[in-house]
Amino acid sequence: MSSRAGKLSVAVALLSAAGCGGDAPGRPAPPAYAWSLPAGFPEPFVPEDNPMSVEKVELGRHLFHDTRLSGNGTMSCASCHEQARAFSDGKATPTGSTGDHVARNSPGLANVAYLGTYTWANPLLETLESQALVPLFNEFPTELGLTPKLEEALERLRADAKYPELFRAAFPDAPEPVSQGSIVKALASFQRTLLSGNSPYDRYLQGDNAALSRSARRGMELFFGERAECYHCHSGRHLSNSFRAKDTKPQVAQFFNTGLYDLDGKGAYPPDNPGLFEFTHDALDHGRFRVPQLRNVELTAPYMHDGSIPTLEAVIEHYTSGGRNVTEGPLAGDGRNNPNKDPLVRPFELTDEEKQDLIAFLKSLTDTDFTTDPRFSNPWK
């Protein structure tokens, strides 16, 4: 979900004030976490102050699916991140627990452990722990709405028959295990386990030539070729240029303008969705957003930061046109001529068959094992 710059500093301060949530300095190092990594996947980066544990992951799974984690008890993280949709929600943009409109699309969460930054356009959120504070505490718009009701929510969890034991197991040294810091760390730990790596495309990379149809193989050649040039932004095993793993150094965050809008002929995007400009106030950063991963992209429609493109077919039309021309309404303007648009977004031609081949390849990124894996499912059902 989205954030506003003014609330980020508040959220970071909240995390600092919350403390570590139980990983006491001086405590012997916990046993190494046994990752269940798909073939070819590196070990994810994990902050030193929140080492992985089975107990944290299980606690995080319960919290992720629990509506009691919202201020008014009506929404959970899973309300906007449904497993069957690869942890997206099928909506253009979500609505928060109090009815506020959230301006940015709920992205899928497959392999979020490997991202270098979080949310669509925030260069300051470099960990899942810091990202979790946004939906929990953001007020403009309100998402889960814990800012005025944190203590009330904590008391709901403490009163549950199951949670005190789960928190104590996850944070055995914490004076008060049921705390804001523990919630944030458990949620981040669970989300790091949302690994998707058994799609037909993955099986093809592992040597199963029959895993991809002829059409999908032709689409793959287009995707990684110099005509479509998709791979320049959607690169590597995780198909995003935002990447971090255990043994990699942090990279300079990259954000791109793809020519969706140009409200004034000078590059302006809608005022509630200006992209990186929200944080830099540099006019050149209007409309620049993080490149999303494409894992399970078939399941995560609608597309773009604001959910304004409904189908994969329409996404391909957008890129072959070199941007989008909005001809009427309050968002009218020719994004194809946006002066901040990345030069890689330029018109090119594909035949109808080639477009279908490209879609066949994108659909080969769907991992049905991921969307049905009981390890990620709702434990309250």
Side-chain angles (χ1 to χ4, degrees), residues 258-342:
T258 60
L260 279 172
Y261 300 103
D262 188 1
L263 303 190
D264 60 358
K266 299 178 182 179
Y269 264 51
D272 66 342
N273 242 330
L276 188 62
F277 174 81
E278 179 182 346
F279 298 91
T280 67
H281 303 291
D282 183 340
L284 296 178
D285 288 335
H286 266 290
R288 294 179 66 191
F289 293 88
R290 178 177 57 78
V291 175
Q293 299 189 89
L294 297 186
R295 294 286 180 166
N296 301 289
V297 68
E298 175 186 12
L299 305 177
T300 60
Y303 304 104
M304 305 301 183
H305 68 278
D306 58 354
S308 61
I309 297 187
T311 64
L312 288 174
E313 288 82 0
V315 170
I316 291 173
E317 289 297 330
H318 169 79
Y319 284 110
T320 57
S321 299
R324 180 173 64 180
N325 182 20
V326 180
T327 58
E328 58 185 12
L331 302 181
D334 194 344
R336 298 172 299 180
N337 298 325
N338 189 305
N340 301 327
K341 187 183 71 171
D342 190 272

Side-chain angles (χ1 to χ4, degrees), residues 116-125 233 241-242 252-258 275-277 279-280 284-285 287-291 340 342:
T117 63
Y118 294 91
T119 74
W120 281 98
N122 191 330
L124 306 178
L125 296 177
C233 293
N241 60 10
S242 178
V252 176
Q254 298 184 67
F255 302 86
F256 296 90
N257 182 319
T258 60
L276 188 62
F277 174 81
F279 298 91
T280 67
L284 296 178
D285 288 335
R288 294 179 66 191
F289 293 88
R290 178 177 57 78
V291 175
N340 301 327
D342 190 272

Side-chain angles (χ1 to χ4, degrees), residues 176-201:
E176 173 48 76
V178 184
S179 68
Q180 175 189 310
S182 298
I183 289 170
V184 166
K185 289 189 172 186
L187 286 172
S189 297
F190 170 66
Q191 290 179 85
R192 288 194 174 95
T193 69
L194 299 178
L195 302 178
S196 175
N198 194 34
S199 67
Y201 172 64

